[in-house]
Amino acid sequence: MTQEARRWTIEEVVRWAADDFRGRGIESPRLDAEVLLARALGTPRIQLILDARRPLSAEELAGFREMVKRRRAREPVAYILGDREFYGRPFRVDARVLVPRPDTETLVEVALERTRAVSLSMRALDLCTGSGCVAITLARERPTASVWATDVSEGALAVARDNALRLGAHRLALRQGDLFAAVPAGARFDVVVSNPPYIAAGEVVDLMPDVRDFEPRLALEGGADGLAVLRRIVEGAGAHLVSGGVLAVEVGAGQAPVVAELFARAGFVDVEVRRDYARIERVLSGAFGGSPRS
Ligand SMILES: C[S@@+](CC[C@H](N)C(=O)[O-])C[C@H]1O[C@@H](n2cnc3c(N)ncnc32)[C@H](O)[C@@H]1O
C-alpha cells in the first residue's frame, strides 16, 4: 500500500513561513507570509483565515515555496509580487525602481493642497519619478492637469511608462535626463514635486538589507551628506516655476531644518513642513517669491 504524501494546510504553511522569516530578522513575518501565500493562491488575504484547514495542492505549495525562498534572501515583498499600492492604485514595480512608500503620499497631499487655486489648469513637474507613483497620482487626481515627469534612469522610465498606460494617466509626459535638464528651458510649472535620493553615502550600509541590497542605489544615495540632489532641486526650481508656484520635496528624517534654510535662501516664502504618518518631518514646501537671497 502506498502512503499518500503529507499535505500541508494553509494555517500550517503560514506558521512555517512566518517562523522562518522571524528567525531571519524580517520585520513583519506573519504579514509577509500571508501576503505571499494569498498571491500564490490567487485569493484575498481574508480567505486564508476562512480556509485555514484547506490542504494545499503540490503546485500551490511549490509556488509559495519559490516566493518564500526569495523573501528569505530579503528581496522586498513588492518586487516578489511585482506591485505595490500607492494612493489607492496598484503600481507595477521591479528592481529598476524604488518601492513606493506610504510616506510619499504626504508629498502628493501637500502638492494637491497647495495647488487648489489652479486645480483645473495645473502644470506639474515631478523630478526623480521612479515608478511614476507621484506624477501618475497627480495626473489621475487632476485629470485636466498636464504633468511632466523625469528621471535619469531609462529603466525607471520604462516602469513609469507602463504604469501610466495601465493606470490611465493620459496627460503625462515622461522624459529622461538629469533633473531640470530633461525639460525645455522655457517651461514654467505651477508646482514642482520631488522625492529625490536623500540618504548620505556613508549611511547606505546601515539600511535594512531589503533596501540596501535590492533597491537601486541611484534611488537612495544623495551624495556625501544626502542633500546633493535636494540642493540642486531647490536652487534650480525657481527658474521653472511661475511666480507664486510651489516646490514640494520629500526629505529624510532630520533634514527638514537644513532644507527649510535652502528654501529660504532660494527665494521661497510660506515655507511649511508636513509630518508623515509616523510623525516624522517629511515634506517641505514653499511658494516661489522671486529672487534668491544673496
Ligand atoms: C527616491 S527615488 C523616488 C522614486 C519615486 N518618485 C517614489 O517616490 O517612489 C529617486 C529617483 O530619482 C532618480 N534620480 C536620481 N538622481 C537623479 C538625477 N540627477 N536626475 C533625475 N533623476 C534622478 C532615481 O533614478 C530614482 O528613480
Side-chain angles (χ1 to χ4, degrees), residues 126-173:
D126 175 29
L127 299 169
C128 304
T129 200
S131 63
C133 59
V134 173
I136 292 168
T137 303
L138 291 177
R140 286 296 316 273
E141 295 296 311
R142 294 266 168 85
T144 52
S146 32
V147 182
W148 282 62
T150 76
D151 202 290
V152 78
S153 155
E154 279 289 5
L157 284 173
V159 175
R161 203 166 290 122
D162 178 42
N163 280 320
L165 282 172
R166 277 185 325 97
L167 295 170
H170 302 301
R171 296 169 65 90
L172 174 67

Side-chain angles (χ1 to χ4, degrees), residues 6-200:
R6 167 145 164 38
R7 295 187 63 191
W8 293 82
T9 63
I10 285 178
E11 65 183 357
E12 284 172 330
V13 294
V14 167
R15 200 176 316 119
W16 161 72
D19 288 348
D20 185 277
F21 292 163
R22 194 171 297 109
R24 291 164 199 272
I26 288 173
E27 260 186 4
S28 47
R30 172 104 198 170
L31 176 67
D32 289 6
E34 287 183 1
V35 167
L36 293 175
L37 183 59
R39 183 61 64 88
L41 302 182
T43 61
R45 238 174 91 215
I46 183 77
Q47 203 65 35
L48 303 181
I49 296 165
L50 302 175
D51 292 346
R53 301 272 162 82
R54 171 167 92 69
L56 265 59
S57 70
E59 296 75 48
E60 286 171 338
L61 188 59
F64 181 55
R65 273 186 196 278
E66 211 38 56
M67 290 178 161
V68 169
K69 211 156 90 190
R70 291 172 68 181
R71 186 66 189 122
R72 272 179 175 170
R74 302 302 290 258
E75 186 171 348
V77 170
Y79 290 165
I80 301 172
L81 300 178
D83 53 63
R84 170 57 51 95
E85 192 171 299
F86 181 83
Y87 220 85
R89 299 183 180 91
F91 284 79
R92 289 229 176 110
V93 292
D94 62 31
R96 293 173 290 179
V97 295
L98 189 92
V99 175
R101 310 290 206 267
D103 309 336
T104 307
E105 293 179 347
T106 308
L107 176 65
V108 171
E109 274 158 18
V110 169
L112 289 173
E113 279 173 28
R114 292 198 72 159
T115 54
R116 270 205 202 104
V118 289
S119 61
L120 288 176
S121 59
M122 182 181 81
R123 289 155 299 170
L125 169 63
D126 175 29
L127 299 169
C128 304
T129 200
S131 63
C133 59
V134 173
I136 292 168
T137 303
L138 291 177
R140 286 296 316 273
E141 295 296 311
R142 294 266 168 85
T144 52
S146 32
V147 182
W148 282 62
T150 76
D151 202 290
V152 78
S153 155
E154 279 289 5
L157 284 173
V159 175
R161 203 166 290 122
D162 178 42
N163 280 320
L165 282 172
R166 277 185 325 97
L167 295 170
H170 302 301
R171 296 169 65 90
L172 174 67
L174 289 156
R175 296 286 183 276
Q176 192 266 335
D178 177 22
L179 299 184
F180 299 101
V183 292
R188 291 282 183 281
F189 298 89
D190 300 299
V191 60
V192 172
V193 291
S194 185
N195 173 20
Y198 52 64
I199 295 165

